[in-house]
Amino acid sequence: MNHPATATIDVTAVEVPEMTEAEISDRLHLERKVERAFFEAGKALAELRDRRLYRSTHRTFEEYCKDRFGFERRHPYRLIEASAVFDNLMKMCPNWTQNKVETDTAEIRSDDGQILPTAEGQVRPLTKLEPQQQQQVWLKAVEEAGGKVPSARIVKDVVQQIMERTQVPNTYQLGEVCQILALDNPDLKGKSGCWAIVSQVNDFSCKVKMWDGEYTVGVKHLKSYEYLPGECEQMRLLCDRIHKLRNNENLEEAARAMLRQLGELKRPYLTALEEKLLNVVEKEYAIVD
């Protein structure tokens, strides 16, 4: 009887046939579909949202996405934002960022496939950057990944490096009244032009108090109104009055609309009519000093 350690095992060699040109073409085509999956999803979601194609069954886009796709509130917006970045990279990336293949003559040629993101997480750090910065970061991330699709961690690290180099020192003061500049920050959507009061000063950002709550924003999203100290104090008092009203859970939509309008003032005072209206609402909800 042969000892197991010295037993001979016959292995049948399996010949793997070479892939045909048609199969290689099919593989490339299917790979492109996989790569573009999140991009196509984001484009479709954007159209569903913009055309309100959910309105026959759902009151809001968020409710529709949760019921139809199981998406939590932020996920559909992340896909939409990511698809915009993907679209931007496709348009902006020059030919030399495409995948390179060496030929027999040691020349470099393109295989007609750009090195582009394959998942939403890879482009999430890019969504807050300007289009030109998105390209710059992606090229650097591809380089650091050895000419392959970079991981989300690599992209995030490159974004952090660029942000540290371009940060503007914070010169804002506590109590200063500023205008919100939404720019490319999706968290400030709908807030552009609103006034805010600086409540905390950080190295490169400020916590500000607006008519509907507190936000932490980068200094590039703020523009000082350069109000006098007395004018800043008037706006702080107005902000306090607005917040007292907003804390009332029974506040009607008409009153909320008025507060929203006051949150977009471009001057450090109320007109006589605005003061009267605010007084009426405060008395209605028993908020009178």
Side-chain angles (χ1 to χ4, degrees), residues 14 29 63 84 148 151 156 158 163 177 179 185 196 212 216 222 245 250 274:
V14 178
H29 176 67
E63 291 173 356
K148 298 179 180 179
S151 65
K156 187 175 181 180
V158 176
M163 293 299 288
V177 181
Q179 183 181 29
N185 189 339
D212 63 344
T216 298
L222 296 173
L245 281 168
N250 297 318
E274 288 168 342

Side-chain angles (χ1 to χ4, degrees), residues 128-167:
K128 292 180 171 59
L129 302 179
E130 300 291 342
Q132 293 80 3
Q133 287 181 314
Q134 291 172 358
Q135 181 193 24
Q136 179 185 1
V137 168
W138 185 251
L139 294 179
K140 179 65 175 175
V142 169
E143 180 183 337
E144 293 199 3
K148 298 179 180 179
V149 178
S151 65
R153 181 190 59 78
I154 291 177
V155 178
K156 187 175 181 180
D157 287 347
V158 176
V159 168
Q160 187 61 37
Q161 293 169 18
I162 289 181
M163 293 299 288
E164 288 174 354
R165 292 201 305 266
T166 59
Q167 288 285 16

Side-chain angles (χ1 to χ4, degrees), residues 1-9:
M1 180 175 180
N2 293 332
H3 192 278
T6 61
T8 302
I9 301 175

Side-chain angles (χ1 to χ4, degrees), residues 30-220:
L30 293 171
E31 286 175 345
R32 292 293 171 265
K33 281 193 172 184
V34 174
E35 290 173 348
R36 293 172 61 92
F38 79 91
F39 167 72
E40 297 293 349
K43 284 289 189 183
L45 286 166
E47 185 169 352
L48 286 166
R49 179 197 61 185
D50 295 345
R51 295 176 59 191
R52 298 184 66 245
L53 297 179
Y54 55 84
R55 64 184 184 276
S56 63
T57 55
H58 293 78
R59 186 174 60 87
T60 67
F61 178 63
E62 291 83 0
E63 291 173 356
Y64 164 72
C65 288
K66 185 172 180 59
D67 287 348
R68 180 63 181 82
F69 307 110
F71 290 164
E72 293 303 323
R73 186 177 181 277
R74 278 296 300 156
H75 189 59
Y77 292 103
R78 283 175 176 158
L79 288 172
I80 291 171
E81 292 163 1
S83 69
V85 175
F86 188 98
D87 203 23
N88 179 49
L89 291 177
M90 281 199 301
K91 294 175 181 177
M92 297 177 63
C93 285
N95 291 334
W96 61 267
T97 68
Q98 297 176 339
N99 295 330
K100 305 297 193 305
V101 179
E102 292 189 9
T103 66
D104 293 338
T105 58
E107 294 179 351
I108 301 298
R109 67 177 177 83
S110 165
D111 68 355
D112 298 323
Q114 290 176 314
I115 299 177
L116 290 168
T118 58
E120 180 270 328
Q122 294 161 0
V123 297
R124 191 181 303 175
L126 304 178
T127 57
K128 292 180 171 59
L129 302 179
E130 300 291 342
Q132 293 80 3
Q133 287 181 314
Q134 291 172 358
Q135 181 193 24
Q136 179 185 1
V137 168
W138 185 251
L139 294 179
K140 179 65 175 175
V142 169
E143 180 183 337
E144 293 199 3
K148 298 179 180 179
V149 178
S151 65
R153 181 190 59 78
I154 291 177
V155 178
K156 187 175 181 180
D157 287 347
V158 176
V159 168
Q160 187 61 37
Q161 293 169 18
I162 289 181
M163 293 299 288
E164 288 174 354
R165 292 201 305 266
T166 59
Q167 288 285 16
V168 178
N170 195 344
T171 59
Y172 289 99
Q173 304 292 321
L174 286 176
E176 190 168 357
V177 181
C178 303
Q179 183 181 29
I180 295 293
L181 308 174
L183 301 177
D184 54 354
N185 189 339
D187 295 332
L188 296 177
K189 186 176 181 180
K191 302 289 189 297
S192 189
C194 291
W195 56 271
I197 299 175
V198 176
S199 58
Q200 180 179 313
V201 179
N202 305 316
D203 288 340
F204 303 107
S205 65
C206 290
K207 179 177 282 188
V208 297
K209 194 171 184 180
M210 299 173 62
W211 73 275
D212 63 344
E214 284 194 309
Y215 299 83
T216 298
V217 299
V219 293
K220 74 173 185 176

Side-chain angles (χ1 to χ4, degrees), residues 15-32:
E15 183 179 353
V16 180
E18 292 290 329
M19 289 178 61
T20 65
E21 288 189 9
E23 287 176 321
I24 293 174
S25 177
D26 288 343
R27 170 178 164 170
L28 182 61
H29 176 67
L30 293 171
E31 286 175 345
R32 292 293 171 265

